[in-house]
Each structure stands twice: as structure tokens, then as C-alpha cells.
Amino acid sequence: MSPDLERLVQLQNVETAIDEARRRVAAHPQRIEEADSRLNQAREVVDNAKQRLKASQETRREQEKEAATFQSRLSKFKDQLSAVKTNREYQAIQHEIETAQRELGVVEEKVLERMMEADIFAAEVKAAEQAFAAEQKTVEAAKQTLAEELAAVEAALAQATANRAAVISAMDPRLIGLFEQVARARKGMAIVTATRDGLCSACHVRLRPQVFQEVRRNDAIIQCASCNRILYFVPPPPPVEPAVTHA
Ligand SMILES: [Zn+2]
């Protein structure tokens, strides 16, 4: 391969590596955010479960207060019962006692419901807290991996940038200009292979046979007539020796 083509291929390789590294560096904050948002979701589940438990406990306290009110009303009526003088008064108070007892029964039933509900809600809080703790570990590990990946990709970016400078310094400025012009127009891909059956591997247009012959020689700068990318050729590997079979 001509030195010019070789350097173009090298430049393409480092440019592609730089683009890829930059994309990954740029994607890093988003990936951290995704990890954090998973943790926030788990935290929300805990908060919601705690909120339900708290609301149930508050309701229970209200209902217990109500029960206490009915209780004291009941004992007040019972005291009055011992002091009544007429049968009519007795029946009236007896009626009040029955009513208060019925109301007390209803509210005590509600308190029992709250107590059973609280057991379920407390179990839900515990389960949510366990899930949160597990998610926290997962997210911490994921962030650790992400930090390591970022360090590696930043190192790769620094290396590729240094390599690019080295490649560029050895290149004819006109060649660099051509590369950059095509790269700008073609999403960074300025030099691509011609396929073994004579197509541009990027735009898949068939090269004229004479052009393909020239490309196969890898000794001149030839651009695809359709997409303008510079073309080179990777010859097929030599045929593999047939495996020796043992009888
Ligand atoms: Zn093409």
C-alpha cells in the first residue's frame, strides 16, 4: 500500500477512535443519571410505603381517641344508671348505653382493621427497604464500573489524540485537507474499502472495472465516483492449508 493511503487509513482509524471516545465521554453523565434515577425510584417506593403506614397509624390514633370518648360516655351513663329514680329514666339511659356500646363496637372494629393493616404496611416498608438496599449496592457497583470505563475511555481519547498528531505530522497537508473535506461531508468516514466484488463498501455503488483494478493496486488516491470517499482494498487472506486428516 502506498504510504499516503496507509496514513489515510491510520488517520481514519484514529479519527474513528476519537469520535467513539468522545461519544462515550459525552454519554457518561446520562448513564450516571440513569443509575441515580433507578435508585430514586427505589427510594420512592420506600417513601410511599412509609407514608401508607404512617397514615394508617394516624387514623388508628384518631379511632382510638374516638373509642376512648365512647368509653367515657359509656361509664358516665353507667354511673347515671345507679342514680336514676324512675323506670322511664332508667330506660332512657339504658337506651343511651346501648347506642354508645354499638358505636364503641364499630370504632373498635375499625381499630382492629388498622392494626392488621399496619402489619401488612410494615412488611411492605421492610421489603421496600431491602429492595432499596439491594438497588443501592447495584447502583454503587454500576457507578464504579462507569467511573472505570470513563477513565479508560479518557485515556484512549488522549492516546488517539496523540496518535492523530503523529499521523498528521507525517502527512501531506493537501491529503489532510482532502481527508477533512470528505470526512465532513460523510459523517467522519473519509476512507473506506472497496469490496472484493468491486463495490464501494460505504455507498454500495459498483465501481467501474478499470477503477476497481486501480483501487486493488492500493497505490493511488482514488475516490468513489458516487460518494466521494477515498477507496482502498484489503486483499483476501491467503487460502488456508487443508487440515491434515489422520487415518
Ligand atoms: Zn461510495
Side-chain angles (χ1 to χ4, degrees), residues 217-230:
R217 284 200 292 272
N218 276 335
D219 61 5
I221 305 300
I222 298 161
Q223 290 174 261
C224 170
S226 167
C227 73
N228 252 354
R229 292 184 182 92
I230 304 155

Side-chain angles (χ1 to χ4, degrees), residues 192 200-205 224-229 231:
V192 298
C200 166
S201 68
C203 74
H204 309 293
V205 157
C224 170
S226 167
C227 73
N228 252 354
R229 292 184 182 92
L231 294 163

Side-chain angles (χ1 to χ4, degrees), residues 10 21 44 49 62-63 73 81 98 103 116 129-130 137 145 155 172 196 207 221 226 234:
Q10 283 169 1
E44 239 170 71
E62 287 305 312
Q63 289 167 345
R73 197 177 295 168
L81 204 57
E98 278 164 21
E103 285 169 332
M116 287 188 288
E129 280 173 340
Q130 281 168 349
K137 275 189 192 160
T145 305
D172 179 342
R196 280 170 213 156
L207 311 174
I221 305 300
S226 167
V234 179

